[in-house]
Amino acid sequence: MAGIVGVNAIAQNTTTWQGRQCAVVLTYDDALNVDLDNAIPALDSLGLKATFYLSGYSGTLDTRLKDWRAAAANGHELANHTLFHPCTGSLPGRGFVTSDYDLDNYSVRKITDEIRMTNAFLKAMDGKTERTFAYPCGDTKIHDTAYIEWVKNDFVAARGTQPEMPAIDTIDLYNIGCYAINGQTGAELIALVKQAMEKHTLLVFLFHGVGGGHSLNVSLPAHSELLHFLKQNEKNIWIAPMLQVAEYIKQFQTGLK
Ligand SMILES: [Zn+2]
């Protein structure tokens, strides 16, 4: 019987996550300078590819367009984080949301026009026609209306913000959860990866500041420790941008039907 259990374990490992134990997606939000100055050099030094959720209005898309284009040419995903990053201002802790960009004041037409405008902008930057989306602040609705319904065909997947490590067959491709990182140590980040390896799940990291640049921050040493652990375990962990992982999940889930 032990042999049969062994065969099943191998079968599970070879049919999910490109034959590896889990998938890890590194995502970086809001087009910060530190993405270009700290995160991308660290990723590139190890040959790891990540996803960057960019809002069209972000200053770095103007001032550092060449750097973003170089990142895309080097295999990183430039992904859609809307044009103006609207969030629901009525929720607790949302004092930073101005009335002009309060999702409560938006129409579906307005948000979907802005999302499509951002896709056109990103296409002008990288020439790509497929990408993923991330909900600003994780807010998926205008009042009771889930706006993704109008733009699902424009994206392979969308990332939310609920912390979870789902198995491949249970992932909601249009609200993929993630772990928002703020102040964790390298050991704590690596512990999350080990959990995903044990459970054979998807694990998505969400970073804002990397070595500064945002009030939600990961230190450079913690970020570096995580990346080195991923690189050292590349044979067992599939590390790829959200687009590639989401396409794989979509194929897998379609195959199950
Ligand atoms: Zn954001």
Side-chain angles (χ1 to χ4, degrees):
M1 289 304 287
I4 291 169
V5 170
V7 167
N8 285 342
I10 290 163
Q12 185 183 22
N13 288 348
T14 53
T15 55
T16 53
W17 307 128
Q18 303 277 37
R20 306 185 208 190
Q21 284 176 258
C22 67
V24 172
V25 178
L26 302 163
T27 70
Y28 300 82
D29 282 24
D30 300 344
L32 306 173
N33 276 302
V34 289
D35 290 343
L36 297 159
D37 295 332
N38 295 343
I40 288 174
L43 291 160
D44 289 352
S45 72
L46 297 170
L48 299 174
K49 309 301 179 194
T51 290
F52 293 84
Y53 286 107
L54 312 182
S55 295
Y57 82 109
S58 306
T60 64
L61 270 61
D62 176 19
T63 58
R64 306 189 66 177
L65 182 59
K66 272 187 191 169
D67 294 336
W68 285 117
R69 282 194 165 139
N74 195 27
H76 300 294
E77 179 189 7
L78 304 187
N80 191 318
H81 201 34
T82 74
L83 189 52
F84 295 116
H85 203 284
C87 300
T88 304
S90 55
L91 293 173
R94 293 291 174 79
F96 63 90
V97 178
T98 63
S99 64
D100 286 334
Y101 298 116
D102 187 332
L103 209 48
D104 286 339
N105 299 334
Y106 265 58
S107 63
V108 168
R109 173 73 188 270
K110 185 174 177 181
I111 186 81
T112 55
D113 279 356
E114 290 184 5
I115 289 169
R116 290 198 173 106
M117 168 64 221
T118 304
N119 259 6
F121 182 30
L122 293 172
K123 186 178 172 186
M125 286 172 74
D126 65 14
K128 306 259 167 62
T129 54
E130 291 210 309
R131 63 188 86 245
T132 64
F133 176 77
Y135 301 96
C137 303
D139 298 336
T140 60
K141 291 178 179 175
I142 301 172
H143 301 290
D144 293 331
T145 305
Y147 64 76
I148 194 70
E149 294 302 327
W150 282 265
V151 285
K152 266 188 173 172
N153 290 339
D154 297 82
F155 297 104
V156 175
R159 198 211 64 204
T161 51
Q162 68 284 4
E164 61 184 13
M165 284 189 210
I168 194 165
D169 54 337
T170 64
I171 293 166
D172 177 356
L173 275 169
Y174 290 94
N175 197 5
I176 296 175
C178 66
Y179 288 79
I181 301 309
N182 185 25
Q184 283 88 338
T185 63
E188 287 169 335
L189 301 179
I190 290 166
L192 286 171
V193 179
K194 286 181 175 170
Q195 214 178 311
M197 291 170 81
E198 270 170 38
K199 294 180 177 173
H200 305 294
T201 61
L202 170 66
L203 169 59
V204 180
F205 284 102
L206 160 54
F207 297 104
H208 286 89
V210 178
H214 198 282
S215 58
L216 306 172
N217 185 54
V218 67
S219 72
L220 287 179
H223 183 252
S224 177
E225 278 177 52
L226 171 65
L227 297 195
H228 280 89
F229 178 83
L230 293 172
K231 185 67 186 177
Q232 282 156 13
N233 291 278
E234 213 170 16
K235 281 185 183 169
N236 299 317
I237 305 168
W238 184 30
I239 309 130
M242 186 67 94
L243 178 63
Q244 278 91 313
V245 174
E247 281 174 336
Y248 183 84
I249 294 165
K250 191 165 266 186
Q251 283 170 6
F252 185 96
Q253 291 186 348
T254 306
L256 286 182
K257 282 174 189 167

